[in-house]
């Protein structure tokens, strides 16, 4: 378990003293208990000293992703440093808000080629929410088409359901071969908050493992595992014990990434 | 299978401390929002809401520290509301670790704020908080002109009418970019007599975005009718804090009524 208090951070704000370390221990103990009572079997053996970079390109709440990943035992760095992003064992690409705004952030940070290069070299990448959506060919927001990174085929479009945004815990339907969902029982719910998604038909024939979810009869992509590239439309860092199990599973694949010759080049899919 | 009905405890926080006591066994510090957040997570809460009732800038600074510590220890969604006035306030809260931000009075004063927040961070971060009161009919039984639906928006904890119709405002806020509506009945709030089902149904009919029902819960049996009336989520404070109803009991009642819940 990692430390949660940042030295001196309370004093700067002029508030009353922070919780004593003992209190924090108690909180962490409770968090552990919460994880322990959840119906999740952890069979993943975590590799030693995996370094993960959470790409900071100005998008949203990175703290939860950082801490949820750190809870797996990985070393986690939140950074906009492209050298670190290229060399890390695993790269996490978060993202919230508009597709166009996220792509603009990726372009301003010049991160696109680094992500593509990692995938080409069979280096693990995990995209979350809009960070998952930008891995696809393009996004359609109210008729405005924004090119994505093109690492997965298909266009991200507005959900067909009436009740949008799709907010809440929904059941994910994962293929039996999935590594990410291997420890999660059928019927597991993960936390979604989005109005747009990719659809599985565009991924047919690519060999990608596609996990879906359903909202008001609309069935769309919840996760994709395609060689070194994994994406989740939901937020594993906000999905409690289920999300923690999924992140542990991803970290275990990061530590045992296969040889580069299995890489999927964008033009071969 | 479909998306689960969310059960959301709400904590009022003043200068980093929970307002009013919380009656859980086994808490080291019943006033620490972070410890309570972890306890509610362990009980199966689907989301958490913190309402910052601090009057001072110093209190708000302390709230940011609470948000930071919560985001670092509890891995379920966190909404923070209270005193949010600008895009910059939203940015500060999201950076501290909030996933969603509740906006109330500032959006009534300047509806353009809704669009500004949605454009910058996406509509999914914006929970429009709506404190609603039924208007008294005029002599002769007709409804007041500013609130033709019979429901008006209020501020200052229900004490001041904002002079606008609640159903119209909900519809307009959704059009402007609100991602969810936190619908609080000021008439039902604190009565423990059940949710205002007519209000929920009226707002449901006006908007397609998710509606979180709040105000009036007294027993576990009060929750399923709120979902039947059209709410997507239920929020309560005191009945959870005082242990009168547990999260699990609410989920049992919802499941028994045929609504999907997360276990």
């Amino acid at each position: 378990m990692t430390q949660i208090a940042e030295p001196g951070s309370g004093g700067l704000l002029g508030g009353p003293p922070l919780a004593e370390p003992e209190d924090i221990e108690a909180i962490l103990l409770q968090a552990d208990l919460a994880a322990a009572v959840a119906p999740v079997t952890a069979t993943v053996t975590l590799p030693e000293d995996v370094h993960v970079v959470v790409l900071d390109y100005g998008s949203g709440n990175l703290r939860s992703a950082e801490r949820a990943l750190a809870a797996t035992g990985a070393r986690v760095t939140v950074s906009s440093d492209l050298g670190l992003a290229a060399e890390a064992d695993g790269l996490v690409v978060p993202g919230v808000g508009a597709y166009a705004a996220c792509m603009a952030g990726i372009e301003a940070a010049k991160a696109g080629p680094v992500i593509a290069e990692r995938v080409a070299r069979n280096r693990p990448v995990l995209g979350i929410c809009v960070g998952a959506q930008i891995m696809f060919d393009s996004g359609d927001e109210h008729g405005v088409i924004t090119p994505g990174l093109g690492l997965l085929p298909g266009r991200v479009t507005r959900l067909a359901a009436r009740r949008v945004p799709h907010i809440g815990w929904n059941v994910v339907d994962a293929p039996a071969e999935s590594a990410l969902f291997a420890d999660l029982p059928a019927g597991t719910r993960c936390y979604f908050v989005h109005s747009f998604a990719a659809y599985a038909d565009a991924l047919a024939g690519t060999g990608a493992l596609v996990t879906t979810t359903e909202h008001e009869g609309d069935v769309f992509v919840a996760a994709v595992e395609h060689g070194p590239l994994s994406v989740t439309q939901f937020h594993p860092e906000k999905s409690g014990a289920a999300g923690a199990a999924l992140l542990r599973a991803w970290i275990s694949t990061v530590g045992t990434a296969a040889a580069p010759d299995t890489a999927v080049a964008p033009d071969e899919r | 299978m479909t998306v689960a009905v969310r059960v959301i405890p709400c904590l009022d926080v003043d200068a980093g401390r929970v307002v009013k006591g919380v009656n859980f066994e086994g808490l080291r510090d019943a006033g620490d929002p972070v410890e309570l957040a972890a306890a509610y997570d362990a009980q199966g809460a689907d989301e958490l809401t913190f309402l910052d009732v601090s009057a001072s800038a110093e209190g708000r600074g302390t709230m940011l520290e609470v948000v930071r510590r919560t985001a670092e220890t509890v891995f379920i969604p966190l909404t923070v509301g209270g005193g949010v006035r600008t895009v910059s306030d939203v940015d500060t809260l999201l950076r501290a670790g909030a996933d969603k931000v509740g906006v109330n009075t500032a959006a009534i004063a300047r509806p353009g704020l809704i669009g500004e927040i949605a454009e910058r961070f996406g509509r999914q971060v914006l929970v429009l908080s709506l404190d609603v009161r039924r208007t008294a009919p005029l002599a002769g039984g007709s409804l007041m002109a500013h609130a033709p639906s019979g429901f008006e928006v209020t501020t200052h904890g229900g004490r001041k009418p904002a002079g606008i119709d609640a159903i119209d405002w909900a519809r307009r806020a959704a059009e402007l970019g609100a991602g969810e509506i936190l619908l609080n009945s000021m008439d039902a709030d604190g009565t423990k007599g059940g949710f205002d089902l007519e209000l929920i149904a009226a707002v449901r009919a006006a908007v397609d975005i998710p509606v979180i029902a709040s105000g009036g819960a007294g027993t576990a049996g009060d929750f399923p009718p709120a979902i039947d009336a059209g709410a997507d989520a239920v929020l309560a404070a005191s009945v959870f804090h005082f242990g009168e109803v547990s999260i699990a009991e609410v989920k049992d009642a919802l499941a028994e009524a045929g609504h999907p819940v997360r276990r």
Side-chain angles (χ1 to χ4, degrees):
Chain A
M1 194 54 82
T2 51
Q3 260 191 292
I4 60 160
E6 291 166 4
S9 56
L12 291 173
L13 290 156
L18 287 176
E20 293 300 315
E22 296 88 323
D23 294 336
I24 291 164
E25 290 292 324
I27 293 158
L28 289 174
L29 183 64
Q30 273 185 310
D32 286 346
L33 286 174
V37 298
V40 172
T41 22
T43 55
V44 174
T45 310
L46 291 174
E48 303 270 313
D49 193 32
V50 172
H51 182 223
V52 173
V53 166
V54 177
L55 186 64
D56 181 359
Y57 61 100
S59 182
N61 166 17
L62 305 179
R63 189 171 295 265
S64 300
E66 177 193 2
R67 296 301 171 150
L69 285 158
T72 68
R75 263 192 309 131
V76 185
T77 311
V78 176
S79 178
S80 55
D81 184 314
L82 296 180
L84 277 182
E87 291 312 314
D89 298 317
L91 176 67
V92 173
V93 182
V96 295
Y99 195 99
C102 275
M103 273 311 293
I106 289 284
E107 278 161 18
K110 298 184 169 60
V114 173
I115 297 167
E117 168 79 7
R118 283 189 65 99
V119 172
R121 288 169 50 217
N122 204 29
R123 306 280 284 163
V125 174
L126 172 63
I128 298 175
C129 198
V130 184
Q133 296 177 358
I134 60 173
M135 301 299 173
F136 287 82
D137 286 332
S138 62
D140 177 350
E141 289 175 316
H142 314 293
V144 179
I145 311 294
T146 304
L149 296 175
L151 300 171
L152 293 171
R155 174 169 290 178
V156 172
T157 55
R158 192 168 197 275
L159 295 175
R162 180 165 180 223
R163 195 75 53 87
V164 172
H166 172 226
I167 300 181
W169 298 77
N170 210 335
V171 175
V172 290
D173 185 8
E177 309 80 26
S178 165
L180 288 184
F181 295 90
D183 283 333
L184 296 170
T188 294
R189 291 181 181 273
C190 296
Y191 184 77
F192 292 80
V193 49
H194 63 121
S195 299
F196 296 81
Y199 288 82
D201 50 0
L203 292 154
T206 62
L209 294 176
V210 182
T211 295
T212 57
T213 192
E214 178 260 315
H215 176 49
E216 294 182 348
D218 191 14
V219 177
F220 47 87
V221 169
V224 179
E225 295 158 75
H226 193 31
L229 179 59
S230 301
V231 303
T232 64
Q233 177 59 66
F234 58 88
H235 287 268
E237 79 282 15
K238 286 289 167 184
S239 293
L246 183 138
L247 290 175
R248 279 197 302 274
W250 182 69
I251 291 289
S252 77
T253 69
V254 168
T256 58
D261 61 1
T262 59
V264 181
D267 57 347
E268 288 170 6
R269 52 168 206 249
Chain B
M1 282 305 210
T2 188
V3 67
V5 170
R6 286 169 285 153
V7 180
I8 309 171
C10 177
L11 299 173
D12 285 6
V13 181
D14 185 358
R17 303 289 296 173
V18 177
V19 178
K20 291 179 252 175
V22 173
N23 185 22
F24 282 167
E25 283 181 22
L27 287 183
R28 291 174 57 97
D29 176 359
D32 179 10
V34 184
E35 189 174 351
L36 276 173
Y40 277 126
D41 177 25
Q43 288 187 8
D46 296 310
E47 253 182 70
L48 296 164
T49 293
F50 286 169
L51 185 62
D52 186 8
V53 297
S54 304
S56 68
E58 195 182 46
R60 295 191 186 288
T62 309
M63 185 65 180
L64 284 180
E65 194 52 39
V66 166
V67 172
R68 280 194 194 96
R69 289 197 291 132
T70 305
E72 289 169 354
T73 46
V74 181
F75 299 110
I76 60 174
L78 173 64
T79 301
V80 182
V84 175
R85 310 212 168 276
T86 64
V87 168
S88 161
D89 290 343
V90 176
D91 189 41
T92 303
L93 284 167
L94 294 180
R95 283 176 187 280
D99 299 291
K100 297 189 273 189
V101 170
V103 177
N104 190 342
T105 316
I108 296 169
R110 197 170 67 78
L113 178 63
I114 294 173
E116 289 169 17
I117 293 169
E119 195 171 310
R120 172 93 180 268
F121 306 104
R123 69 186 301 157
Q124 81 291 336
V125 308
L126 205 168
V127 182
L128 181 84
S129 185
L130 207 55
D131 291 342
V132 180
R133 198 171 60 181
R134 286 169 180 261
T135 56
L138 299 171
S142 64
L143 292 163
M144 294 168 84
H146 75 271
S149 71
F151 296 104
E152 67 178 351
V153 179
T154 67
T155 61
H156 299 79
R159 293 192 303 277
K160 289 194 184 173
I164 53 175
D165 185 89
I167 309 305
D168 278 351
W169 174 229
R171 186 184 293 114
R172 188 157 165 236
E175 286 165 4
L176 288 169
E180 281 184 283
I181 287 178
L182 169 53
L183 182 61
N184 189 33
S185 165
M186 303 312 292
D187 300 304
D189 196 32
T191 65
K192 298 188 180 177
F195 292 88
D196 186 335
L197 304 179
E198 288 177 29
L199 172 62
I200 295 167
V203 172
R204 170 78 288 146
V207 302
D208 287 333
I209 59 177
V211 173
I212 305 164
S214 166
T219 68
D222 287 335
F223 291 86
I227 305 304
D228 294 331
D232 301 275
V234 284
L235 177 142
S238 57
V239 290
F240 290 143
H241 302 336
F242 297 121
E244 293 164 22
V245 180
S246 71
I247 304 280
E249 284 164 356
V250 171
K251 290 194 172 185
D252 286 345
L254 288 167
E256 215 164 285
H259 299 297
V261 294
R262 177 180 74 111
R263 298 289 194 177

